[in-house]
Amino acid sequence: MATETEPMASEPTNPAAATGDPLVVLENVNKHFGPLHVLQDINLSVRTGEVVVVIGPSGSGKSTLCRTINRLEPIDSGTITVSGEVLPEEGKGLARLRSEVGMVFQSFNLFAHKTILENVMLGPIKVRKEKSAVVRERAMALLTRVGVANQADKYPAQLSGGQQQRVAIARALAMQPKVMLFDEPTSALDPEMINEVLDVMTSLAGDGMTMIVVTHEMGFARRAANRVVFMADGQIVEQNTPEEFFTNPQSERAQDFLSKIL
Ligand code: ADP
Ligand code: MG
């Protein structure tokens, strides 16, 4: 992505995002952990091609929100649909829908005893039963895209944290997901490695990938997000374009949060 100027924060990275169909829709989603009402009546609709950054204080329910979207956590009430299909509780339908939702965590979770290339090839071969030759070609193209093709035959421990996280992104993309979820993907990285991961994510956003990104990287939010969703205490308190949100937060909670991190 060679752009001369930084895209304006108020303009969607991907114009299609303004018109895309709803891809991930949460309606009146509630979840408790014992007495803790961790998700309170969450309503959120993410359109095809849209990049939504979720921010908010620690403990506000951001990770839980991500985990419910591919049913790593069950919900108590409400519905979650991906591509118009309600997420089932279990069974084959769940495996298929889950494979449409790629997820990248703070910890990279690569398989230590498999090479980088094997890590990326594993899902499509084991879960999707795709042919090895086809998957290999796609995996190498993805490793090239995230800038680590020359590390394909190494093992995760031989790579830096930033490289490992880029492999984790390639591994998620290898499943050809419809939407990518990122939960604080740069929080565990040394500062000098953060940008190499954010650059890959920015490029992905520019290519039209639908993304839900939990991050405190405000530069990324301004550069790549169509919308910022601010969560506190299990609720979506406000949402807006990055420009509006950062310059003119409406709620006291958001003002307070921004005053601490900006
Ligand atoms: P965030 O990602 O915004 O920091 P989380 O979604 O991780 O927030 O957590 C929201 C709240 O739910 C926190 O109070 C946390 O301690 C609690 N929580 C998260 N996971 C569990 C769990 N598996 N069991 C009990 N409480 C949990
Ligand atoms: Mg979290």
Side-chain angles (χ1 to χ4, degrees), residues 57-64 106 183-184 214 216:
S58 177
S60 54
K62 307 179 299 295
S63 292
T64 306
Q106 183 174 327
D183 189 4
E184 303 207 26
V214 178
H216 291 151

Side-chain angles (χ1 to χ4, degrees), residues 23-240:
L23 181 63
V24 178
V25 180
L26 289 85
E27 284 178 307
N28 304 111
V29 170
N30 283 282
K31 177 170 183 66
H32 295 76
F33 284 122
L36 182 68
H37 198 173
V38 61
L39 295 179
Q40 302 180 21
D41 250 331
I42 298 292
N43 287 285
L44 179 67
S45 178
V46 178
R47 293 171 179 277
T48 300
E50 201 179 9
V51 177
V52 172
V53 162
V54 180
I55 69 170
S58 177
S60 54
K62 307 179 299 295
S63 292
T64 306
L65 178 76
C66 282
R67 293 168 60 81
T68 61
I69 292 175
N70 65 353
R71 279 283 197 266
L72 289 170
E73 292 283 358
I75 55 176
D76 300 335
S77 65
T79 55
I80 302 174
T81 57
V82 176
S83 297
E85 291 184 76
V86 178
L87 279 191
E89 294 290 341
E90 54 194 21
K92 273 195 171 165
L94 177 59
R96 183 173 52 78
L97 273 186
R98 204 177 258 167
S99 80
E100 294 180 349
V101 182
M103 188 140 180
V104 175
F105 302 89
Q106 183 174 327
S107 52
F108 333 122
N109 298 329
L110 297 176
F111 294 107
H113 301 293
K114 298 207 177 287
T115 68
I116 295 309
L117 180 62
E118 287 166 350
N119 264 279
V120 178
M121 290 178 64
L122 205 61
I125 288 174
K126 292 273 185 221
V127 180
R128 292 263 214 86
K129 315 288 183 208
E130 290 187 75
K131 287 209 177 72
S132 172
V134 177
V135 175
R136 178 181 298 271
E137 200 170 318
R138 188 194 312 146
M140 282 310 300
L142 286 168
L143 288 175
T144 301
R145 179 171 179 183
V146 302
V148 290
N150 56 352
Q151 315 286 325
D153 296 325
K154 291 191 180 164
Y155 288 86
Q158 296 174 282
L159 272 60
S160 72
Q163 288 173 323
Q164 288 187 58
Q165 191 60 304
R166 286 184 279 146
V167 173
I169 294 172
R171 181 177 59 173
L173 290 173
M175 295 292 275
Q176 301 178 306
K178 289 187 173 154
V179 54
M180 287 280 286
L181 306 180
F182 294 85
D183 189 4
E184 303 207 26
T186 59
S187 300
L189 297 177
D190 291 334
E192 74 272 20
M193 293 171 188
I194 290 175
N195 279 333
E196 66 192 52
V197 172
L198 293 178
D199 285 349
V200 167
M201 292 166 60
T202 303
S203 148
L204 205 53
D207 286 349
M209 175 59 78
T210 309
M211 294 166 50
I212 300 173
V213 184
V214 178
T215 185
H216 291 151
E217 294 293 334
M218 298 304 131
F220 172 79
R222 284 179 183 274
R223 189 161 72 235
N226 301 102
R227 179 155 49 119
V228 173
V229 168
F230 175 72
M231 280 186 79
D233 296 331
Q235 295 174 323
I236 293 179
V237 175
E238 64 179 280
Q239 44 184 316
N240 219 326

